[in-house]
Amino acid sequence: MASISLRNIVKRYGHGPKANQVIHGVNAEIHDGEFVVIVGPSGCGKSTLLRMVAGLEEISGGEIAIGSRVVNQLEPAERDIAMVFQNYALYPHMSVFDNMAYGLKIAKVPKDEIKTRVDKAAKILELGHLLERKPRELSGGQRQRVAMGRAIVRQPQVFLFDEPLSNLDAKLRAQTRLEIQKLHRELGITSLFVTHDQVEAMTLAQRMIVMNGGNMEQFGTPEEVYHRPASTFVASFIGAPPMNLLQQAPGGKPGQTLGIRPEHLDVVASEGWELHVDTVELLGAERLIYARLGDEPLIVRVEEGASAPLPGSTLRVRPREDRLHWFDASTGKRL
Ligand SMILES: Nc1ncnc2c1ncn2[C@@H]1O[C@H](COP(=O)(O)OP(=O)(O)O)[C@@H](O)[C@H]1O
Ligand SMILES: [Mg+2]
């Protein structure tokens, strides 16, 4: 196993005046055995960053080390990593066993060693009874497990995942998420996992890197990112519905943006802020009240048992003092 160091990583596509810089100096130390999620909207550079760690993209600036080895100049095969993609492209004419064994055969690993490793991976992934099947005889979730098996048998120092669950339906995605967690508990292999889905990030990550436009906005545990977002971008990207961001909050200071999460506004009978209610949504265990404070939109989250205000009515809420977040209005950074 190994740590991963990203030191001032820069990526430009193309050369000369037409070059397009898409990663602007990312620094992060991923510990040995840690499960780190890279999360951010589409196009922010997640795959590019992961592919540079894998050796599938050249690094334009900075240094990547896996363990104590700087890998900038190493071929993917020399980096001791295994990657699982969204499109896991199994060989259709090969059995599950052969799909998992293929890379090891190419690497001339002895036959009984291959069998031992495939059997062990199949056991962990509960694929033991499917080893003779062809990919077309498997469900989507089983195929994705074979793709993970193919990575496990390599016994790499590092796992790299690029949105591996995106092709699965919601239920299977949640289930496979649990399997990946279990896999990480059992094998303890340093993992970098890319997703655009903040729920997936929050549930899988030991720590997460939040990316925005080629910059790292924050690197922290899910708790830190949720409770102490480093910027208005992180505040609105993590958490659904997002944190309310107000420019003209009562008691606010000029040049500061106030952030307050929808669940940290208590409905009160008098005083507090007076809101105008636009619509109310029932989401099973809770209701979302879409309202306005002056002309700024605001969402309030209440339990489903609480009475629902009527659209067009007014509602009073009090923000919890210890849950207020202040950001610099011009830079968006936390104050
Ligand atoms: N091969 C490429 N050539 C030129 N630009 C690219 C290439 N791959 C990605 N990009 C650009 O780099 C940026 C980051 O892309 P990517 O890393 O794929 O984002 P993400 O995985 O977060 O969706 C995007 O603006 C994308 O258009
Ligand atoms: Mg991507």
Side-chain angles (χ1 to χ4, degrees), residues 11-26:
K11 176 65 183 179
R12 281 181 292 272
Y13 284 111
H15 295 282
K18 283 195 176 157
N20 178 20
Q21 186 165 322
V22 298
I23 303 280
H24 309 290
V26 167

Side-chain angles (χ1 to χ4, degrees), residues 277-282 287-290 302 307-311 313:
V277 177
D278 288 326
T279 55
V280 182
E281 266 178 13
L282 176 62
R287 281 180 214 281
L288 298 181
I289 302 167
Y290 293 84
V302 295
S307 65
L310 291 174
S313 66

Side-chain angles (χ1 to χ4, degrees), residues 119-151:
D119 285 344
K120 185 176 164 215
K123 187 156 176 254
I124 293 170
L125 294 165
E126 293 170 21
L127 289 170
H129 58 300
L130 301 173
L131 287 173
E132 298 312 315
R133 292 215 190 153
K134 298 279 168 59
R136 66 169 181 279
E137 298 163 323
L138 302 176
S139 70
Q142 288 166 339
R143 274 183 228 153
Q144 185 54 288
R145 295 219 297 275
V146 177
M148 283 193 272
R150 208 165 44 178

